[in-house]
Amino acid sequence: ELDAVVYPADGNYLGNWREGEKIAQNGRGLQFSDDAKTVNGGNCYACHQVAKAEIAFGNIGPSLSQYAKLRGGVTPELTKYTWSKIYNSHSSNACSTMPRFGASQILTEQQLKDVMALLLDPQSPVNQ
Protein backbone atom coordinates (compact mmCIF):
# COMPACT_ATOMS: atom_id res chain seq x y z
CA GLU A 1 0.00 0.00 0.00
CA LEU A 2 2.87 2.39 0.70
CA ASP A 3 4.12 1.90 -2.86
CA ALA A 4 0.71 3.06 -4.15
CA VAL A 5 0.92 6.47 -2.43
CA VAL A 6 1.17 9.29 -4.95
CA TYR A 7 3.18 12.21 -3.60
CA PRO A 8 2.73 15.76 -4.92
CA ALA A 9 4.46 16.10 -8.27
CA ASP A 10 5.60 19.63 -7.42
CA GLY A 11 7.14 18.49 -4.13
CA ASN A 12 4.98 20.95 -2.20
CA TYR A 13 2.98 19.22 0.54
CA LEU A 14 1.38 22.24 2.20
CA GLY A 15 -1.53 24.35 1.07
CA ASN A 16 -3.64 26.78 3.05
CA TRP A 17 -4.49 25.71 6.61
CA ARG A 18 -7.61 27.89 6.62
CA GLU A 19 -8.97 25.91 3.68
CA GLY A 20 -7.81 22.71 5.40
CA GLU A 21 -9.87 23.61 8.45
CA LYS A 22 -12.97 24.01 6.26
CA ILE A 23 -12.32 20.60 4.69
CA ALA A 24 -11.77 18.94 8.08
CA GLN A 25 -15.05 20.34 9.40
CA ASN A 26 -17.06 19.52 6.27
CA GLY A 27 -18.95 16.24 6.28
CA ARG A 28 -20.67 16.76 2.93
CA GLY A 29 -20.03 14.85 -0.27
CA LEU A 30 -20.45 11.21 -1.25
CA GLN A 31 -23.68 10.88 0.72
CA PHE A 32 -26.78 9.57 -1.05
CA SER A 33 -28.54 12.90 -0.45
CA ASP A 34 -25.69 15.02 -1.86
CA ASP A 35 -25.80 16.41 -5.36
CA ALA A 36 -23.09 14.79 -7.49
CA LYS A 37 -21.44 18.23 -7.83
CA THR A 38 -21.04 18.62 -4.06
CA VAL A 39 -17.42 19.25 -3.11
CA ASN A 40 -16.29 16.51 -0.73
CA GLY A 41 -15.18 17.33 2.76
CA GLY A 42 -12.90 15.29 4.96
CA ASN A 43 -15.31 14.97 7.91
CA CYS A 44 -12.23 14.68 10.15
CA TYR A 45 -14.05 15.95 13.24
CA ALA A 46 -16.30 12.88 13.15
CA CYS A 47 -13.36 10.75 14.32
CA HIS A 48 -10.74 13.20 15.65
CA GLN A 49 -10.43 16.20 17.89
CA VAL A 50 -8.84 18.58 15.42
CA ALA A 51 -8.05 21.49 17.75
CA LYS A 52 -8.14 22.09 21.50
CA ALA A 53 -11.00 24.57 21.22
CA GLU A 54 -13.43 21.99 19.81
CA ILE A 55 -16.12 20.76 22.14
CA ALA A 56 -17.80 18.24 19.82
CA PHE A 57 -15.73 15.62 18.03
CA GLY A 58 -15.41 11.89 17.56
CA ASN A 59 -13.02 9.66 19.43
CA ILE A 60 -12.50 6.79 16.99
CA GLY A 61 -9.17 8.29 15.94
CA PRO A 62 -6.53 10.01 18.05
CA SER A 63 -6.67 13.69 18.88
CA LEU A 64 -4.89 15.77 16.25
CA SER A 65 -4.50 18.72 18.62
CA GLN A 66 -0.87 19.90 18.57
CA TYR A 67 -0.12 17.34 15.85
CA ALA A 68 3.23 18.76 14.70
CA LYS A 69 4.24 20.08 18.11
CA LEU A 70 3.87 16.71 19.81
CA ARG A 71 5.92 15.03 17.09
CA GLY A 72 8.94 17.31 17.42
CA GLY A 73 7.99 19.83 14.76
CA VAL A 74 7.79 19.61 11.02
CA THR A 75 10.43 17.33 9.52
CA PRO A 76 10.66 15.73 6.07
CA GLU A 77 9.88 12.36 7.69
CA LEU A 78 6.77 13.65 9.48
CA THR A 79 5.61 15.41 6.33
CA LYS A 80 5.96 12.29 4.19
CA TYR A 81 4.35 10.06 6.84
CA THR A 82 1.41 12.43 7.27
CA TRP A 83 0.83 12.65 3.52
CA SER A 84 0.93 8.87 3.12
CA LYS A 85 -1.45 8.38 6.08
CA ILE A 86 -4.02 10.80 4.66
CA TYR A 87 -3.54 9.65 1.05
CA ASN A 88 -3.83 5.95 1.88
CA SER A 89 -4.30 5.09 5.54
CA HIS A 90 -3.56 1.43 4.78
CA SER A 91 0.01 2.45 3.94
CA SER A 92 0.86 2.51 7.65
CA ASN A 93 -1.88 0.28 9.11
CA ALA A 94 -3.53 -2.38 6.96
CA CYS A 95 -6.55 -2.48 9.29
CA SER A 96 -7.06 1.27 9.57
CA THR A 97 -10.67 2.46 9.53
CA MET A 98 -9.61 5.90 8.29
CA PRO A 99 -10.75 6.61 4.74
CA ARG A 100 -8.12 6.49 2.01
CA PHE A 101 -8.71 10.09 0.98
CA GLY A 102 -6.28 10.25 -1.94
CA ALA A 103 -6.27 6.63 -3.10
CA SER A 104 -10.08 6.60 -3.24
CA GLN A 105 -10.21 10.08 -4.78
CA ILE A 106 -12.34 11.45 -1.96
CA LEU A 107 -10.17 14.58 -1.75
CA THR A 108 -8.23 16.29 -4.51
CA GLU A 109 -4.49 16.84 -4.30
CA GLN A 110 -5.10 20.50 -3.40
CA GLN A 111 -7.51 19.50 -0.63
CA LEU A 112 -4.92 17.05 0.70
CA LYS A 113 -2.33 19.84 0.74
CA ASP A 114 -4.73 22.11 2.63
CA VAL A 115 -5.40 19.41 5.26
CA MET A 116 -1.65 18.86 5.52
CA ALA A 117 -1.20 22.57 6.24
CA LEU A 118 -3.88 22.35 8.94
CA LEU A 119 -1.89 19.60 10.65
CA LEU A 120 1.63 20.94 10.12
CA ASP A 121 1.56 24.75 9.91
CA PRO A 122 2.69 26.28 13.22
CA GLN A 123 0.07 29.05 12.77
CA SER A 124 -2.79 26.56 12.41
CA PRO A 125 -5.19 26.24 15.35
CA VAL A 126 -4.18 22.58 15.52
CA ASN A 127 -0.70 23.58 16.73
CA GLN A 128 -1.71 26.33 19.15
Side-chain angles (χ1 to χ4, degrees):
E1 294 294 327
L2 188 56
D3 290 340
V5 173
V6 177
Y7 297 95
D10 63 3
N12 183 13
Y13 289 83
L14 302 182
N16 180 328
W17 69 259
R18 288 177 179 84
E19 291 302 313
E21 187 171 33
K22 291 176 190 174
I23 295 162
Q25 300 298 335
N26 178 2
R28 303 302 299 173
L30 300 178
Q31 298 178 40
F32 78 94
S33 59
D34 289 334
D35 183 279
K37 295 176 186 162
T38 300
V39 176
N40 296 335
N43 202 21
C44 306
Y45 71 94
C47 298
H48 302 277
Q49 178 183 26
V50 179
K52 286 188 290 188
E54 290 181 335
I55 57 171
F57 50 86
N59 59 7
I60 294 170
S63 173
L64 300 175
S65 179
Q66 299 190 3
Y67 182 83
K69 254 187 189 179
L70 293 174
R71 288 160 179 80
V74 180
T75 63
E77 295 80 17
L78 178 61
T79 302
K80 191 171 181 179
Y81 166 78
T82 303
W83 180 273
S84 64
K85 180 69 175 180
I86 297 169
Y87 187 90
N88 181 351
S89 61
H90 295 183
S91 66
S92 59
N93 179 353
C95 297
S96 178
T97 58
M98 183 170 154
R100 299 182 302 162
F101 289 104
S104 296
Q105 299 178 343
I106 296 169
L107 299 179
T108 66
E109 182 176 288
Q110 185 58 54
Q111 287 178 304
L112 293 170
K113 288 179 178 187
D114 293 340
V115 172
M116 288 283 292
L118 177 66
L119 294 173
L120 298 176
D121 190 313
Q123 301 306 311
S124 160
V126 168
N127 291 303
Q128 297 305 308

